Amino acid sequence: MIANIARDLPSDSGRLAGNKNLRRKLFTAAAAILIVANFLYLASEGLFSYVNPDDSMNLYAAWLRSGPDLVLSCLSFWAGSVRPLGQLFYRLLYEVFGWNPLPFRIACFALLLVNIGLCWRLAYALTRSLQTTILATAIVSFNGSLWSIYASSGTVYDVLCQCFFLLGLVSYIRRRGSGSGPSLLAAIELFACTVASFQSKEMGLMLPAVVLASELLFNQNDTWRAHRSWVLRVIAPAGMASAAGLLGWRYAQNGVHFSHVAYIPVFGWAPAIASAQAHLSLLLFRSVTPSEWQTVAVVIAALGLALLMRSRLMLFGWVYYHVAMLPLTFTTPRHDGYVLYIPIVGVALYLAALVEGIASRWPQRPLIRTVSWAVALLTVVLLQWVERPLVHQRDFGPGGESAVRELSEYAKAHTTQWLPSQGIVVINDPLGDKFQPQFVFSLATGRRDLRISEVRGGSSNGLAAPGVFVALYRNGHFEDTHQAPD
């Protein structure tokens, strides 16, 4: 009889283990569903945003280029093309759906959900801790400062960059932890993700540096030979691709990188601190504007705390944030939260690791650990819900959608009156931008032959040559539209 009981014990243990695994899977699925549902609820308004001026400008630039030219630009990463992968995104959707903002928004939201999933996989690959993974993903999933990411297709460059950035990092960490040596496939994956990332947005240049940080911080028990092998065979080719892309932008005279004033780097203490101040204020939802020395103190204190707690994940999060932000560190400070979208993963990993460090101080008291995690997660969600109604009050997100709609509806209503290559004068256009009428009129009608010019102030009298169509915007709508007599 005792022998029979002994035989049954493994079966019972297996059943208990199976029940525990099932509960874990159900808890994991429930947590993931709640994070996604919370994101969709808080960001859903952005799904129905109209076209904004950035969208029309980006789409017009992509529309002027041929499909094969865009594909070739994506592959020729050394040639200095400006974000060709994002332009290809615009061009493909416009060819299929035309001047319709909803398909663009749906595609962007699909990518946002993919990025939330990739952040989950990154956190779990680094920690194997479900609690840390849930908290880090919840932090990344929504931040009121990033409203332009959720409400503008113009930030698809950032969203695509994040997608390939996380994909490359997750791929490397998983292969590194598999126990196998560096392979050609691992090198190709990281190389391709690096190219796709910086061909979407310049922050992608930093992917090899972040991967290198993960190699040095999370594989400390490996031999120097193993480190060197992975660095030389897998990370170095991706780093060379980034170097080629940077040199391409530097010398291609593309009119944006190293030519446009907002992208010209000015190396020194002052611009670096100014950028850090602006970005820290955005992280704090513009509730605080830190001084120069407060900014320095926060940066140093965050690093010191990571070292004091001996947390590799906190240190990695600190490095991740600052390295990913490097392409903007010495340029004109940005004051819209979209710039945080890629670096904020580092902040999320840092904060989740900090909570893990605090909770782990009570290893024999699971209730205290559980309460610590619950309080941290509820705090994150509460802050998200507090921020959401204040987004527009704090002036986050894109603007100009209503003016673009005015131009678009007017163009659609009058397109049949415009002869091929006819000149059109738009007086007092609602955006006050001499280029927007050309972008919107051409895209809304699908016509490349329109010749648009814009005049500010005055009336329609004497402002158009004979045969030119005049559109006067006044008192919140278009009026006195006519074709000037021959």
Side-chain angles (χ1 to χ4, degrees):
M1 185 175 179
I2 294 175
N4 290 336
I5 294 175
R7 276 199 308 270
D8 290 337
L9 282 176
S11 158
D12 293 338
S13 299
R15 220 171 12 251
L16 289 173
N19 290 336
K20 184 177 180 180
N21 288 335
L22 178 60
R23 288 196 299 270
R24 181 181 176 85
K25 289 179 180 179
L26 290 174
F27 177 74
T28 301
I33 290 171
L34 288 174
I35 288 173
V36 169
N38 184 60
F39 161 73
L40 291 175
Y41 177 77
L42 293 173
S44 57
E45 180 189 328
L47 181 62
F48 303 100
S49 297
Y50 196 71
V51 180
N52 62 61
D54 272 354
D55 292 338
S56 57
M57 175 183 66
N58 296 332
L59 179 52
Y60 187 77
W63 187 51
L64 293 181
R65 301 180 65 179
S66 68
D69 179 45
L70 281 173
V71 173
L72 182 61
S73 294
C74 291
L75 298 175
S76 305
F77 58 88
W78 58 87
S81 295
V82 180
R83 305 171 187 173
L85 201 58
Q87 290 192 31
L88 184 61
F89 168 90
Y90 272 109
R91 182 61 185 273
L92 288 173
L93 288 181
Y94 183 78
E95 290 297 325
V96 176
F97 300 104
W99 184 251
N100 182 2
L102 185 58
F104 289 83
R105 304 305 308 127
I106 291 174
C108 286
F109 263 67
L111 287 170
L112 289 169
L113 291 174
V114 169
N115 289 347
I116 291 174
L118 287 171
C119 181
W120 178 293
R121 295 192 67 179
L122 172 63
Y124 192 75
L126 288 171
T127 66
R128 296 295 168 182
S129 166
L130 186 56
Q131 296 94 327
T132 305
T133 298
I134 291 172
L135 183 58
T137 308
I139 293 171
V140 166
S141 64
F142 181 87
N143 185 300
S145 299
L146 275 67
W147 188 249
S148 288
I149 294 290
Y150 315 132
S152 171
S153 299
T155 58
V156 71
Y157 303 108
D158 304 78
V159 178
L160 283 170
C161 179
Q162 178 77 299
C163 184
F164 292 108
F165 202 103
L166 291 174
L167 189 62
L169 190 52
V170 169
S171 172
Y172 180 86
I173 292 171
R174 289 173 64 88
R175 287 192 177 277
R176 189 65 173 90
S178 67
S180 61
S183 64
L184 178 61
L185 183 58
I188 291 173
E189 286 177 352
L190 184 58
F191 186 94
C193 287
T194 299
V195 170
S197 187
F198 73 70
Q199 288 290 73
S200 302
K201 182 109 186 218
E202 52 273 11
M203 283 181 170
L205 290 170
M206 298 296 106
L207 175 56
V210 174
V211 170
L212 179 61
S214 74
E215 168 65 30
L216 299 177
L217 286 171
F218 295 105
N219 300 286
Q220 294 179 345
N221 295 327
D222 276 4
T223 63
W224 170 246
R225 178 177 294 181
H227 282 306
R228 184 179 62 183
S229 183
W230 279 92
V231 170
L232 294 180
R233 296 185 184 183
V234 179
I235 301 177
M240 293 172 65
S242 285
L246 180 61
L247 290 173
W249 289 338
R250 175 65 181 86
Y251 295 106
Q253 299 298 318
N254 54 40
V256 177
H257 300 105
F258 298 96
S259 298
H260 192 286
V261 64
Y263 291 90
I264 298 175
V266 179
F267 298 104
W269 173 265
I273 294 300
S275 291
Q277 283 179 276
H279 301 153
L280 182 56
S281 177
L282 291 171
L283 279 173
L284 299 173
F285 198 61
R286 290 185 183 149
S287 57
V288 176
T289 302
S291 68
E292 177 178 316
W293 292 108
Q294 286 172 334
T295 301
V296 174
V298 169
V299 172
I300 294 176
L303 175 60
L305 184 60
L307 295 173
L308 182 65
M309 297 185 68
R310 299 182 179 180
S311 171
R312 288 181 291 178
L313 186 59
M314 288 176 68
L315 186 56
F316 178 67
W318 188 92
V319 172
Y320 192 124
Y321 173 82
H322 291 285
V323 169
M325 194 65 85
L326 265 178
L328 295 177
T329 298
F330 298 99
T331 60
T332 303
R334 269 59 168 179
H335 296 283
D336 195 303
Y338 71 88
V339 299
L340 300 174
Y341 183 62
I342 295 160
I344 203 171
V345 174
V347 176
L349 293 174
Y350 184 97
L351 294 177
L354 176 60
V355 175
E356 167 65 28
I358 295 172
S360 64
R361 293 181 179 274
W362 294 280
Q364 305 303 323
R365 298 188 178 183
L367 180 59
I368 295 180
R369 288 174 55 84
T370 302
V371 170
S372 299
W373 284 111
V375 169
L377 186 59
L378 287 174
T379 301
V380 169
V381 175
L382 179 62
L383 287 174
Q384 291 172 341
W385 281 60
V386 168
E387 288 175 358
R388 177 58 191 90
L390 301 175
V391 162
H392 300 303
Q393 293 182 24
R394 298 286 175 87
D395 198 28
F396 286 106
E401 293 95 334
S402 60
V404 172
R405 189 190 294 270
E406 290 276 359
L407 290 169
S408 174
E409 291 176 352
Y410 176 80
K412 291 179 180 178
H414 291 81
T415 184
T416 56
Q417 301 179 35
W418 296 331
L419 301 174
S421 300
Q422 180 175 19
I424 303 169
V425 172
V426 181
I427 302 173
N428 295 336
D429 80 86
L431 283 166
D433 183 337
K434 64 181 179 179
F435 299 111
Q436 281 297 325
Q438 180 72 61
F439 301 156
V440 178
F441 279 32
S442 298
L443 291 167
T445 62
R447 292 179 59 173
R448 299 175 186 267
D449 63 300
L450 300 179
R451 295 184 292 110
I452 316 294
S453 58
E454 187 265 355
V455 178
R456 299 185 186 183
S459 66
S460 60
N461 298 328
L463 293 176
V468 173
F469 192 93
V470 178
L472 174 62
Y473 185 82
R474 186 168 54 189
N475 300 324
H477 62 279
F478 281 100
E479 59 182 45
D480 297 338
T481 56
H482 64 278
Q483 185 164 329
D486 292 327

